[in-house]
Amino acid sequence: MPRAITDAGLSHMRPPAHDRRRGTMSRAVTARRVSDLEPSVRRLANELIDGFIERGSCDFSSELAVPLPSAIFLEVFGLPVADLEPFLAAKAPIIRPPASTAPELDEARTTAAPWMAGHVNPPPPRPPAARPPHPPP
């Protein structure tokens, strides 16, 4: 399993990689950006509430408190909010590992790898374009 996919969180990084990642995330969550997100946050919250309002009750954690910040995260980082359920399934074993032994943790991370690889990993670097040779003087 590509360990870089699951071990790339801020808590597992050391400078300078940590500083670069944190800087990228900090720029995405400035006060102005958060304020600009208010209409989207309201829309996302309403969509989640629409899923249980007719019942008159909900499991607050699983139906609102957990999915809402994750949906906002997807929106902020330009990832498809339609992938909320696979994202929740992918992040769960990383954020709150269900295992206590290294092999169990590796198995839990394997569950997250396919979704993360398809959305989080940057594309491989492109080789530099070949430069035409300079004509002789």
Side-chain angles (χ1 to χ4, degrees):
M1 179 179 97
R3 187 169 280 292
I5 291 170
T6 56
D7 285 350
L10 286 172
S11 63
H12 295 284
M13 298 177 116
R14 300 282 182 251
H18 176 274
D19 299 335
R20 282 192 304 272
R21 180 73 55 88
R22 184 174 180 167
T24 299
M25 294 178 77
S26 294
R27 286 188 297 278
V29 291
T30 64
R32 173 157 185 144
R33 177 74 173 121
V34 170
S35 177
D36 291 346
L37 284 171
E38 184 177 352
S40 294
V41 171
R42 286 180 184 274
R43 176 184 49 77
L44 293 167
N46 283 327
E47 288 172 5
L48 291 169
I49 292 167
D50 287 346
F52 57 78
I53 196 165
E54 292 297 320
R55 288 195 322 260
S57 65
C58 73
D59 178 321
F60 183 77
S61 179
S62 68
E63 293 183 271
L64 190 66
V66 171
L68 182 58
S70 295
I72 294 166
F73 174 89
L74 292 172
E75 184 112 346
V76 166
F77 289 98
L79 297 168
V81 177
D83 278 0
L84 179 59
E85 289 302 319
F87 176 76
L88 291 171
K91 81 169 187 72
I94 295 170
I95 302 297
R96 291 187 178 82
S100 57
T101 67
E104 290 171 330
L105 184 54
D106 283 343
E107 183 178 334
R109 288 175 169 168
T110 300
T111 304
W115 190 92
M116 295 293 195
H119 292 83
V120 177
N121 284 350
R126 295 171 58 185
R131 298 170 111 188
H134 291 284

